[in-house]
Amino acid sequence: EKRFFQNVYDIDVRRVDFSFMELSNVQKARREVANRLFGKIVKTGSDKLLYRFPYIKYAASYLKKISSWINNNGFDIVMFSSGFEDSIQLAIIKEQISPHVKLIAWSHASFKDYFREEGGLYSNGIRRLWSFYYKRFDAIVVLSDADIQFCKQYLDIDAVRIYNSNSFVPVNKSPL
């Protein structure tokens, strides 16, 4: 069965480019190692080290590849659909991207999924990291009004909510 894109915003989809760039195995391994180091970096209490984390996580050659690809394709708007954590890639390369390109971060999940009370230092570190980098975006897109409030209260950034055509209210709770 063929599925069709639901065009709820009446966008001229002939001018939309959906692209995908796969991480190399080396970059995937680097990202995993960096993610394991994150908790240790947060425990140091050093914001300077914390703000360098994305540069530890993503190789300079990989970031240059992304910025060159964006610039060479003449995009007006770039939105990573890989969630907030990986959207930091766009924030750290903003200075290498043509100034006319608008950068948008898009959340796939509720902030409650990212910032759990039991997260302790990890959650506080993520908040500080996101607050620092997400101010570089031209727009932050979230799924709910509660997430808009979270962005304002905990990250000191403005966000917008978009229509989520896949939203639903479950009839029953899953036994899983």
Side-chain angles (χ1 to χ4, degrees):
E1 177 182 336
K2 191 171 184 178
R3 295 183 68 189
F4 294 97
F5 173 71
Q6 185 179 3
N7 195 347
V8 296
Y9 293 107
D10 196 28
I11 296 170
D12 181 358
V13 293
R14 295 170 295 177
R15 299 191 62 216
V16 175
D17 182 10
F18 293 95
S19 301
F20 177 79
M21 188 179 295
E22 178 72 30
L23 293 173
S24 70
N25 288 336
V26 171
Q27 183 58 46
K28 287 177 185 177
R30 180 184 179 126
R31 187 172 70 170
E32 289 304 311
V33 170
N35 285 341
R36 291 182 186 150
L37 289 173
F38 186 74
K40 292 176 179 36
I41 291 170
V42 171
K43 285 181 184 177
T44 68
S46 167
D47 279 350
K48 184 175 181 178
L49 188 56
L50 179 68
Y51 299 153
R52 295 291 307 156
F53 174 73
Y55 298 96
I56 295 168
K57 188 172 184 172
Y58 303 106
S61 60
Y62 173 73
L63 295 170
K64 183 172 175 42
K65 181 179 176 181
I66 293 172
S67 61
S68 295
W69 177 74
I70 291 169
N71 289 330
N72 292 337
N73 282 286
F75 297 118
D76 296 318
I77 299 169
V78 175
M79 175 171 37
F80 270 26
S81 62
S82 57
F84 273 131
E85 185 178 356
D86 286 332
S87 289
I88 286 178
Q89 296 170 61
L90 280 180
I92 63 178
I93 63 173
K94 182 171 178 127
E95 299 303 316
Q96 287 77 49
I97 296 173
S98 175
H100 83 274
V101 177
K102 301 296 182 206
L103 300 179
I104 300 174
W106 175 25
S107 170
H108 292 273
S110 165
F111 276 100
K112 289 181 182 179
D113 293 331
Y114 289 105
F115 301 105
R116 295 189 174 109
E117 289 299 319
E118 66 272 11
L121 284 172
Y122 184 81
S123 289
N124 291 331
I126 291 269
R127 284 181 191 166
R128 291 195 330 269
L129 184 67
W130 285 6
S131 181
F132 181 77
Y133 281 109
Y134 271 62
K135 289 178 169 93
R136 297 180 183 185
F137 284 102
D138 296 293
I140 310 292
V141 176
V142 296
L143 298 177
S144 71
D145 291 333
D147 290 335
I148 289 173
Q149 290 301 109
F150 185 96
C151 281
K152 194 61 168 165
Q153 181 177 352
Y154 293 104
L155 303 177
D156 192 30
I157 55 177
D158 293 321
V160 296
R161 181 182 56 82
I162 61 169
Y163 169 73
N164 182 0
S165 62
N166 293 325
S167 294
F168 66 95
V169 176
V171 177
N172 297 313
K173 187 174 180 177
S174 167
L176 302 176

